[in-house]
């Protein structure tokens, strides 16, 4: 293999074979492949089986399905601005690049660190959950009882191997797993439709009085959290077949598909048990609700299938987020913001293998730390860090919407008001409201309650909220230091190569 031309002054990387490899990622991913990867990150079956019952129980009860539709509208408005920015900024950094171009290099680097926090925390939270599920499942089969963290490390190893290889392999694996997840949920919904449900089919979940009952703000938190991952389409820009068309189509397809699927699936859950009983069923055992619902409408065979697919759903989720994180790190390395070696691209697999190894090591270290601290894999690892990710992504998307508005107001480029002002402004408003609601209810989201069950801003809430503030602050400080000491690197914050 001959050495390619070095790009924009970035240092070459040495591949394991000793040859010099290009630092730019390449590929021919189409919109469908990218949609598979980002929708897999949203973990459809895990959301329907875990988040939806909690949204029904802790949120607005029977009216929870409508909040998926509402979230879809808010995020679709956000996507319009994101797609417009994608055409203007031909960079793969997504939030990192867009905020940098719109609001400046320091906010851009702050956004990069907040994005890394978002995807790392959501990934490690799922490691806790999948470790718990696998531990219980294997024990039920009569196998030796192993701690959750050991199973989590096994999954991390599998993800590490797939992430080390070319992105096409991950997209194929994620595609197969996603089809299985969606298929079993749609089969349950079909069973509900055929039988007419427990109390007959109705539009009760979408009646205004029902939607506004209970705690809709808490319900909105769970609904927004279910979409985490769809916005990462832009990070695959360098590996897309035709970025100018592929990325916008993948973004719209992902958010619309997720919104329709979750709305339909959660409506099916409500109809399966009836508006008069669904909250009681969710309260009895929210984690097992999808399993018992499947058993009721598809029998024992369906119950076994859904239990297996719950595990593969979480595997798909962590693999997808692994791919996203490695590409953020790769882009930051090529901008001189992380060590140069992190940006290395494998000569054979054409993957950001060095970044993948770093991310695998990070996951292993965090799982090990949580094991040493004795954290509960569900009540603490999963709940706490999913809460952090939900707040961080709402802030990140709101800031990105603002960056889109500012960029197009300042530039003399595209000036279509709907794409560059109205839709981003609506997305900004909706996301800002969601972020405020999340902060106000953050103790409940992370389980920081007193003996009576009332939420309180205690030590757990304070520490986790501080992390959300400190991570972007690190990026801001780094950018400030670079501006003084390494102005050329500072300038590359908005000129990162892929």
């Amino acid at each position: 293999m001959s050495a390619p031309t070095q790009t924009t002054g970035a240092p070459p990387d040495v591949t394991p074979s000793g040859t010099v490899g290009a630092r730019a990622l390449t590929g021919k991913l189409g919109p469908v492949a990218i949609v598979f990867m980002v929708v897999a990150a949203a973990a459809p079956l895990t959301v329907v089986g875990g988040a939806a019952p909690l949204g029904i129980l802790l949120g607005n009860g029977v009216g929870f399905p409508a909040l998926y539709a509402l979230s879809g509208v808010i995020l679709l408005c956000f996507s319009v601005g994101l797609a417009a920015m994608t055409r203007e900024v031909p960079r793969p950094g997504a939030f990192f690049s867009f905020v940098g171009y719109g609001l400046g290099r320091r906010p851009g680097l702050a956004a990069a660190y907040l994005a890394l926090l978002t995807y790392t925390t959501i990934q490690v939270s799922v490691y806790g959950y999948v470790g718990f599920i696998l531990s219980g499942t294997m024990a039920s089969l009569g196998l030796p009882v192993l701690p959750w963290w050991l199973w989590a490390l096994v999954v991390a190893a599998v993800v590490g191997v797939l992430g080390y290889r070319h992105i096409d392999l991950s997209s194929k694996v994620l595609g197969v797993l996603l089809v299985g997840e969606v298929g079993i949920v749609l089969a349950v919904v079909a069973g509900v439709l055929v039988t007419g449900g427990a109390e007959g089919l109705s539009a009760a979940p979408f009646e205004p009085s029902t939607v506004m009952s209970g705690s809709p703000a808490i319900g909105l938190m769970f609904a927004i959290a279910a979409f985490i991952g769809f916005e990462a389409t832009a990070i695959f820009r360098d590996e897309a077949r035709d970025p100018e068309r592929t990325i916008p189509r993948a973004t719209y397809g992902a958010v619309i598909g997720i919104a329709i699927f979750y709305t339909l699936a959660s409506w099916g859950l409500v109809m399966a048990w009836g508006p008069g009983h669904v909250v009681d069923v969710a309260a009895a055992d929210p984690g097992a609700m999808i399993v018992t619902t499947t058993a009721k409408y598809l029998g024992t065979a369906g119950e076994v299938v859904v239990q297996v697919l719950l595990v593969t759903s979480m595997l798909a989720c962590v693999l997808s987020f692994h791919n996203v994180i490695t590409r953020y790190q790769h882009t930051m390395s090529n901008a001189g913001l992380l060590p140069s070696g992190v940006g290395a691209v494998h000569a054979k697999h054409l993957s950001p293998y060095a970044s993948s190894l770093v991310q695998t090591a990070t996951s292993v270290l965090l799982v090990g730390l949580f094991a040493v601290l004795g954290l509960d894999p569900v009540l603490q690892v999963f709940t706490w860090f999913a809460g952090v990710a939900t707040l961080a992504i709402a802030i990140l998307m709101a800031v990105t919407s603002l960056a889109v508005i500012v960029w197009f107001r300042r530039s003399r480029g595209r000036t279509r008001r709907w794409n560059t002002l109205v839709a981003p402004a609506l997305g900004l408003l909706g996301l800002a409201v969601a972020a405020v609601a999340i902060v106000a209810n953050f103790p409940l989201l992370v389980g920081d309650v007193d003996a009576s069950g009332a939420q309180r801003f205690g030590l757990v809430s304070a520490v986790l909220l501080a992390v959300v503030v400190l991570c972007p602050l690190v990026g801001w400080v780094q950018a400030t230091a670079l501006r003084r000491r390494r102005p050329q690197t500072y300038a590359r914050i908005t000129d990162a190569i892929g």
Side-chain angles (χ1 to χ4, degrees):
M1 175 180 177
S2 61
T5 303
Q6 189 176 331
T7 55
T8 61
D13 60 285
V14 179
T15 66
S17 61
T19 60
V20 178
R23 297 177 67 87
L25 297 173
T26 60
K28 297 182 179 180
L29 297 176
V32 174
I34 294 177
V35 167
F36 273 149
M37 284 189 287
V38 298
V39 174
L45 185 56
T46 302
V47 168
V48 175
L54 290 174
I56 292 171
L57 177 62
L58 303 176
N60 57 336
V62 176
F64 180 66
L67 297 182
Y68 280 129
L70 176 61
S71 298
V73 172
I74 293 173
L75 296 176
L76 188 58
C77 289
F78 164 79
S79 300
V80 171
L82 190 72
M85 200 68 169
T86 297
R87 296 186 179 96
E88 292 290 316
V89 181
R91 305 295 177 191
F95 294 131
F96 163 38
S97 297
F98 298 162
V99 174
Y101 273 82
L103 301 180
R105 294 180 174 88
R106 281 179 290 189
L109 191 50
Y113 279 92
L114 189 58
L116 288 177
L117 174 68
T118 298
Y119 299 124
T120 299
T121 51
I122 194 66
Q123 184 191 47
V124 77
S125 73
V126 178
Y127 274 128
Y129 198 12
V130 72
F132 170 78
I133 293 294
L134 278 173
S135 179
T137 300
M138 296 303 175
S140 68
L141 295 176
L143 298 176
V145 178
L146 298 176
W148 70 269
W149 54 267
L150 188 57
W151 287 112
L153 292 177
V154 170
V155 174
V158 173
V159 168
V161 170
L162 291 172
Y164 188 91
R165 303 292 297 274
H166 193 278
I167 190 67
D168 284 346
L169 177 60
S170 290
S171 69
K172 291 174 183 177
V173 171
L174 291 171
V176 171
L177 297 181
L178 182 61
V179 168
E181 291 181 61
V182 173
I184 191 67
V185 173
L186 292 181
V188 173
V189 174
V192 173
L193 289 172
V194 170
T195 61
E199 300 174 5
L201 305 179
S202 71
F206 305 101
E207 296 174 358
S209 59
T210 306
V211 175
M212 297 308 297
S213 64
S215 302
I218 296 176
L220 185 62
M221 288 191 299
F222 284 104
I224 292 286
F227 285 78
I228 295 179
F230 89 89
E231 73 293 335
T233 50
I235 202 68
F236 296 102
R237 180 184 181 88
D238 282 351
E239 294 156 287
R241 182 184 302 122
D242 181 6
E244 295 294 327
R245 294 185 177 184
T246 298
I247 299 304
R249 289 177 180 178
T251 304
Y252 292 140
V255 69
I256 293 172
I258 291 173
I260 293 174
F261 178 77
Y262 286 156
T263 302
L264 175 64
S266 56
W267 173 83
L269 274 182
V270 174
M271 294 300 106
W273 300 98
H277 298 90
V278 67
V279 175
D280 293 334
V281 174
D285 191 350
M289 188 174 183
I290 186 62
V291 176
T292 55
T293 304
T294 303
K296 179 179 179 181
Y297 287 91
L298 299 182
T300 304
E303 180 182 6
V304 173
V305 170
V306 81
Q307 287 178 318
V308 172
L309 288 174
L310 272 172
V311 175
T312 61
S313 171
M314 287 179 276
L315 171 62
C317 176
V318 291
L319 173 58
S320 186
F321 282 123
H322 177 93
N323 287 332
V324 171
I325 297 168
T326 56
R327 280 149 184 81
Y328 260 102
Q329 292 174 165
H330 174 268
T331 300
M332 292 176 69
S333 172
N334 285 339
L337 306 172
L338 291 178
S340 175
V342 177
V345 174
H346 200 281
K348 178 181 178 181
H349 302 306
L350 304 179
S351 63
Y353 75 97
S355 181
S356 178
L357 291 173
V358 170
Q359 173 53 26
T360 300
T362 301
S363 300
V364 169
L365 288 173
L366 288 174
V367 169
L369 175 62
F370 299 151
V372 171
L373 294 176
L375 298 186
D376 183 276
V378 177
L379 298 179
Q380 294 172 321
V381 176
F382 179 73
T383 305
W384 290 1
F385 295 100
V388 170
T390 304
L391 175 58
I393 197 65
I395 296 172
L396 203 50
M397 288 193 290
V399 172
T400 302
S401 294
L402 178 60
V404 171
I405 295 171
V406 173
W407 167 259
F408 282 104
R409 292 311 96 195
R410 288 177 177 173
S411 70
R412 296 181 181 276
R414 302 167 189 250
T415 56
R416 294 175 60 184
R417 293 181 65 83
W418 168 254
N419 297 70
T420 63
L421 177 61
V422 179
L426 291 174
L428 171 60
L429 177 62
L431 290 163
V433 170
V436 171
I438 291 170
V439 172
N441 295 277
F442 196 77
L444 179 62
L445 190 64
V446 300
D448 199 356
V449 297
D450 58 26
S452 65
Q455 67 173 358
R456 59 181 176 81
F457 281 90
L459 179 61
V460 174
S461 297
V463 170
L464 295 178
L465 287 173
V467 171
V468 177
V469 174
L470 289 175
C471 271
L473 183 60
V474 169
W476 189 285
V477 171
Q478 182 185 8
T480 301
L482 289 173
R483 184 179 184 182
R484 296 175 181 174
R485 301 174 184 175
R486 295 164 57 191
Q488 291 183 338
T489 301
Y490 178 75
R492 288 213 306 270
I493 291 177
T494 50
D495 194 34
I497 63 173

